Amino acid sequence: MSLPRGTPDLEVLDLLVSVAELGSLGAAARRHGISQPAVGMRISALERRLQLRLLDRGPTGSDLTDAGYDVVELARPVLAAGATLMDGVAELHRALHPSLRVMASKTIADHRIPHWLSALRKLRPELAVELDVANSQQVTAAVHAREAELGFVEGPHSPAGLGSRVLVADELAVVVAPNHPWATRRRAVTLRELANTPLLWREKGSGTRDTVWEALEIHGTPARPAAELGSAAAILTTARSGTAPAVVSRLIVAHELRAGTLHEVRLAEGITLTRKFRAIWHRRTPPTGPAEDLVELAARIESARPNRR
């Protein structure tokens, strides 16, 4: 079967439908990202091809003729079939070149994701993974908006409105420079003292910040920050200078503690500061295929990892 001679292309039919839906050539031009004269020229060419007058052009604008409305109704199922065709082609591309878009909080991206993706690569060597890094609040917003199939966040609670799975609990440590008064004190630091002390805080939206704030606010609003910094590296650098104490993940500070460039402060008995690492996803699209594999591998790797202090 071959198409009749003079059959118009789908793009110009789509333009005509936009004119009908939006009521003007200018609005149709804006929808398609082209100039209004270009829309007029293409519809004029369509009229010549179909040998029908589709628009009544006047000084105040253009209106579809009866024939124009009829062609629009005939075009709608054709355009729907074209969209179905392209959806199918896109699915074929995904099958031939599978990909996965992931977003992760900064701590997880720096210290855990590389291990998880290495395991995923062995399982699915053909998979292309796109990884974006942000704070936990931004990752959560992206998963809500379906800008990422899968997110990894840190914090005390599961994000509202999303599906999630806890992968591991991450312990936080209070650290100071060796010359800070807390480095040599014998008495343990209480949560009330910590709440009343200006600390080095991560930016708002950070899972670490949310965890520490929730633990301290039972003793009242925490003291005004000594500084608010946008990365763990900046926190560690500032802490080394002796500016103020910081509360950070053991994953981040382990090397500094071994090297002696930072000192861990002993907390009062019974106090443990932890936050959860979670995989999150849109509730309507729970992880399948590569996304499900990544969550399972991450959980398996974390359950097998020794708890290092």
Side-chain angles (χ1 to χ4, degrees):
M1 177 182 176
S2 60
L3 290 173
R5 190 173 179 181
T7 299
D9 63 61
L10 297 183
E11 289 183 357
V12 71
L13 292 177
D14 198 21
L15 277 176
L16 184 66
V17 170
S18 292
V19 172
E21 290 177 346
L22 301 176
S24 72
L25 296 180
R30 289 189 292 274
R31 172 185 279 183
H32 291 266
I34 60 178
S35 68
Q36 182 172 332
V39 174
M41 291 173 60
R42 296 195 65 181
I43 291 182
S44 293
L46 176 63
E47 289 177 316
R48 291 192 296 271
R49 174 168 284 192
L50 297 180
Q51 298 181 8
L52 291 169
R53 186 164 57 86
L54 305 175
L55 291 177
D56 279 329
R57 297 167 175 83
T60 60
S62 301
D63 296 315
L64 266 68
T65 64
D66 290 343
Y69 281 112
D70 288 340
V71 170
V72 164
E73 293 308 310
L74 291 169
R76 290 188 190 279
V78 176
L79 293 173
T84 300
L85 169 66
M86 295 313 297
D87 287 344
V89 170
E91 189 61 38
L92 291 174
H93 279 288
R94 284 191 289 270
L96 292 171
H97 307 285
S99 63
L100 175 65
R101 182 160 188 211
V102 177
M103 287 190 73
S105 68
K106 296 173 183 178
T107 300
I108 296 175
D110 287 344
H111 296 275
R112 304 314 306 151
I113 280 278
H115 303 285
W116 305 343
L117 291 185
S118 177
L120 183 64
R121 179 74 176 173
K122 293 176 183 177
L123 182 65
R124 290 182 176 265
E126 78 290 352
L127 181 69
V129 178
E130 180 183 349
L131 173 65
D132 287 333
V133 181
N135 66 35
S136 291
Q137 186 178 76
Q138 292 164 335
V139 173
T140 298
V143 173
H144 267 297
R146 297 182 184 271
E147 294 170 1
E149 295 173 60
L150 196 62
F152 293 98
V153 297
E154 58 204 62
H157 304 295
S158 176
L162 295 176
S164 69
R165 176 176 175 178
V166 173
L167 301 174
V168 69
D170 178 47
E171 189 173 351
L172 304 177
V174 180
V175 297
V176 294
N179 61 353
H180 190 279
W182 283 7
T184 54
R185 66 177 275 175
R186 295 184 178 181
R187 184 167 48 87
V189 172
T190 66
L191 281 184
R192 185 177 297 278
E193 283 183 282
L194 206 58
N196 292 332
T197 300
L199 303 174
L200 301 176
W201 288 87
R202 282 287 302 275
E203 80 286 359
K204 291 180 180 178
S206 159
T208 303
R209 181 187 178 114
D210 290 345
T211 300
V212 177
W213 188 277
E214 183 174 294
L216 299 186
E217 69 176 349
I218 61 174
H219 299 288
T221 302
R224 185 175 180 178
E228 291 181 292
L229 302 163
S231 71
I235 292 276
L236 295 181
T237 299
T238 309
R240 284 198 301 269
S241 72
T243 301
V247 186
V248 293
S249 168
R250 289 190 180 280
L251 289 173
I252 293 169
V253 80
H255 176 74
E256 303 274 353
L257 296 178
R258 287 194 297 268
T261 52
L262 286 171
H263 179 86
E264 182 174 0
V265 177
R266 185 167 61 90
L267 296 178
E269 186 175 353
I271 297 175
T272 302
L273 295 174
T274 60
R275 42 104 181 258
K276 302 289 196 305
F277 288 169
R278 287 181 172 84
I280 60 172
W281 54 85
H282 199 284
R283 278 185 173 172
R284 293 184 180 178
T285 52
T288 58
E292 184 178 19
D293 289 341
L294 180 55
V295 173
E296 292 297 331
L297 288 168
R300 193 180 311 157
I301 289 169
E302 293 309 310
S303 67
R305 186 166 63 92
N307 182 23
R308 297 192 180 111
R309 286 187 59 92

